[in-house]
Amino acid sequence: MNTDIDTCPIDLFCFSGSTSNSEANRLILSFVFVQKIVSSGDENKDGGLDFNEFNKYLKEHEKKLRLTFKSLDKNNDGHIDASEIKQSLEELGMDITKEEAQTILQSMDIDGTMMVDWNEWRDHFLFNPAHNLNEIIRYWKHSSVLDIGESIAIPDEFTEEEKTSGGWWKQLAAGAMAGAVSRTGTAPLDRVKVFMQVHSSKSNRVTLLGGFKQMIKEGGVASLWRGNGVNVLKIAPETAIKFMAYEQYKKLLTPEGGKVQTHQRFMAGSLAGATAQSSIYPMEVMKTRLTLGKTGQYNGMFDCAKKILRKEGIKAFYKGYTPNMIGIIPYAGIDLAVYESLKNAWLSRYAKDTANPGILVLLGCGTISSTCGQLASYPLALLRTRMQAQATLEASDKSTMTGLMKGIMANEGFFGLYRGILPNFMKVIPAVSLSYVVYEYMKTGLGISK
């Protein structure tokens, strides 16, 4: 089999024509999906496809494409139109305009009828390893797999098929593992961020390099990962609670038999985030205390919990709770709004030959939207961290949320609310990259995608 990427027909996963997206992105995508086709059809595991394997792959793949085509063809007239594409995307929790649906349709419509028949559909997807509706039209769903350390984004959507087949828990497990690796990889930057949030001021300026030097001098290189254990440990319960709460809130907010609208999804996601954060918030406090702790101060997470309970009482486990809850709304709202705006801008400008933006564009949109969400909610995150760390501060620095904010504004000015923002931004790109790569490997390992 000739796997020269330029011989692919109109390929959903390849950029072609005169689009201005980078040629490198197109080549990377083409190579990845050629490899997926080979791995899907390679029965004897020799790393290639012979004629019989290739022939069998095409026949099996065509059967799956036929089922997908029928599921999209709502009125069973043998054609797919823009309204059917729009309806199918809405069923997956993604709202698009009629014009955007027509743009997607045009990328497959060869004869210019503004409808896609079976032959056009098959030709478009035959050399595409995606084999069901969910894989084909999930590109633009805002995935929570991009873990940048904050767990207050709106959860992922799952189809009824994924829920009944068990695919949802595999995706959540893959996302949790991706988050664990991502957070571990960026833990030193996260620790210096917390260090700067709590200890840096006009009179005691802590720089990025200075913070690293102080931490290494005090506890060695290994101390850069202090507090990472509990940060990773809280991913699993938080993800599970958020997912279950999100499904229940959607049912409560959506009329019987109605579709989930964008504003309902935002409200359900925010409430689910608040529920999950409330459940695991004591672990957030312990993470901050362990991160700021000196060598020998705590002998692990349970020792930290016992000491906090004995010295400060149960209320200490919910210090900083109010700014944390308030911060969910601007983060989730701006994250979703920016992502939708970037998605619509890309579709209206570049979606001529394909509706799929490609890996780099998706990661870019997710990174930008999450960063904007963090930028808006960062002052509240700083207040939360300082309140969580109050036992480690001088008595004069202990205060309520409003008292802390007034003190920071009076002594340090507006930009005092953004102490530690530099390492926070520095960890975004490596965190996103790590989480995406691990997520893709985990999906393959768990049998979600081949």
Side-chain angles (χ1 to χ4, degrees):
M1 173 189 173
N2 179 11
T3 56
D4 182 353
I5 52 177
D6 290 325
T7 64
C8 289
I10 301 173
D11 188 346
L12 183 69
F13 291 94
C14 300
F15 287 114
S16 56
S18 59
T19 57
S20 60
N21 293 60
S22 72
E23 185 71 11
N25 188 40
R26 186 182 74 85
L27 295 175
I28 291 168
L29 288 170
S30 300
F31 177 76
V32 167
F33 290 108
V34 165
Q35 292 301 311
K36 284 194 175 185
I37 290 172
V38 173
S39 63
S40 297
D42 185 16
E43 293 184 346
N44 59 11
K45 307 300 178 187
D46 64 351
L49 293 183
D50 58 30
F51 178 77
N52 290 331
E53 287 174 329
F54 183 53
N55 192 42
K56 185 177 180 181
Y57 165 80
L58 289 180
K59 287 180 179 178
E60 290 296 319
H61 194 50
E62 190 168 329
K63 286 180 187 176
K64 292 170 183 175
L65 288 176
R66 173 73 76 173
L67 292 173
T68 305
F69 181 84
K70 286 182 177 178
S71 70
L72 270 169
D73 184 15
K74 305 294 183 184
N75 58 8
N76 296 314
D77 66 350
H79 295 85
I80 299 170
D81 59 27
S83 63
E84 288 169 324
I85 289 176
K86 188 174 188 295
Q87 182 181 343
S88 296
L89 284 167
E90 285 174 349
E91 288 171 359
L92 282 180
M94 178 178 163
D95 294 322
I96 64 168
T97 65
K98 189 176 179 181
E99 290 72 23
E100 289 167 349
Q102 287 172 344
T103 300
I104 293 171
L105 186 73
Q106 285 172 347
S107 70
M108 296 178 277
D109 181 23
I110 297 171
D111 57 14
T113 59
M114 287 308 292
M115 288 191 296
V116 173
D117 60 23
W118 161 242
N119 290 328
E120 289 172 317
W121 176 265
R122 181 192 58 201
D123 290 347
H124 195 85
F125 289 108
L126 191 58
F127 288 95
N128 185 318
H131 57 72
N132 60 48
L133 179 60
N134 300 335
E135 290 183 26
I136 290 168
I137 61 179
R138 268 184 83 96
Y139 314 123
W140 276 113
K141 292 180 68 181
H142 192 176
S143 176
S144 58
V145 65
L146 304 181
D147 190 311
I148 58 174
E150 297 291 336
S151 304
I152 51 179
I154 291 174
D156 246 346
E157 295 278 348
F158 295 105
T159 64
E160 290 304 319
E161 181 187 347
E162 287 170 327
K163 291 171 191 173
T164 54
S165 67
W168 64 272
W169 75 262
K170 291 182 180 180
Q171 291 194 40
L172 289 180
M177 180 57 71
V181 174
S182 169
R183 293 183 187 195
T184 301
T186 58
L189 284 167
D190 188 65
R191 189 176 181 221
V192 79
K193 176 197 77 174
V194 174
F195 198 82
M196 291 171 73
Q197 284 179 328
V198 174
H199 296 302
S200 184
S201 63
K202 271 189 176 179
S203 58
N204 180 37
R205 191 174 295 278
V206 178
T207 63
L208 182 68
L209 190 59
F212 276 124
K213 284 180 178 178
Q214 278 183 258
M215 290 187 293
I216 293 171
K217 184 179 179 181
E218 190 276 328
V221 175
S223 70
L224 296 177
W225 277 266
R226 197 170 287 166
N228 183 59
V230 67
N231 196 33
V232 168
L233 198 62
K234 68 187 176 71
I235 293 173
E238 185 173 17
T239 302
I241 293 166
K242 188 191 287 186
F243 169 69
M244 291 186 287
Y246 183 53
E247 293 300 316
Q248 294 305 311
Y249 285 128
K250 279 197 299 184
K251 288 177 184 176
L252 287 172
L253 295 169
T254 309
E256 189 71 29
K259 293 185 179 67
V260 182
Q261 302 298 318
T262 302
H263 71 280
Q264 291 167 332
R265 180 171 174 251
F266 167 65
M267 289 174 63
S270 298
L271 289 169
T275 303
Q277 284 277 300
S278 299
S279 304
I280 58 94
Y281 194 77
M283 296 179 79
E284 292 276 3
V285 174
M286 285 188 285
K287 180 245 177 184
T288 299
R289 295 293 180 89
L290 286 165
T291 300
L292 293 168
K294 291 182 169 60
T295 302
Q297 185 176 352
Y298 300 115
N299 188 25
M301 184 177 74
F302 292 108
D303 181 57
C304 177
K306 283 193 293 184
K307 286 180 177 176
I308 292 172
L309 188 62
R310 187 170 63 247
K311 293 179 181 178
E312 302 171 64
I314 194 74
K315 285 185 179 180
F317 288 106
Y318 282 89
K319 283 183 176 178
Y321 179 79
T322 301
N324 189 65
M325 290 298 107
I326 297 171
I328 289 173
I329 302 298
Y331 182 97
I334 291 172
D335 183 26
L336 184 63
V338 172
Y339 188 84
E340 289 294 311
S341 299
L342 292 172
K343 176 198 78 175
N344 293 336
W346 190 92
L347 283 172
S348 62
R349 186 169 181 181
Y350 296 114
K352 297 178 177 66
D353 301 299
T354 174
N356 176 27
I359 294 167
L360 297 182
V361 176
L362 282 176
L363 289 181
C365 291
T367 301
I368 292 168
S369 64
S370 297
T371 302
C372 289
Q374 278 200 334
L375 193 61
S377 62
Y378 192 84
L380 289 162
L382 181 137
L383 293 174
R384 175 199 67 195
T385 303
R386 286 203 178 181
M387 292 176 75
Q388 288 172 342
Q390 280 184 349
T392 67
L393 299 174
E394 298 294 329
S396 59
D397 292 327
K398 298 178 183 180
S399 183
T400 61
M401 182 181 80
T402 53
L404 267 176
M405 180 173 278
K406 286 177 181 176
I408 292 169
M409 291 290 286
N411 298 324
E412 304 175 51
F414 175 75
F415 290 106
L417 295 170
Y418 284 88
R419 296 282 183 196
I421 194 75
L422 177 60
N424 195 59
F425 281 161
M426 285 176 66
K427 72 175 186 171
V428 169
I429 292 176
V432 167
S433 304
L434 280 170
S435 59
Y436 180 80
V437 170
V438 175
Y439 182 70
E440 287 300 309
Y441 274 106
M442 286 297 298
K443 278 173 62 182
T444 303
L446 292 170
I448 302 171
S449 62
K450 295 182 180 178

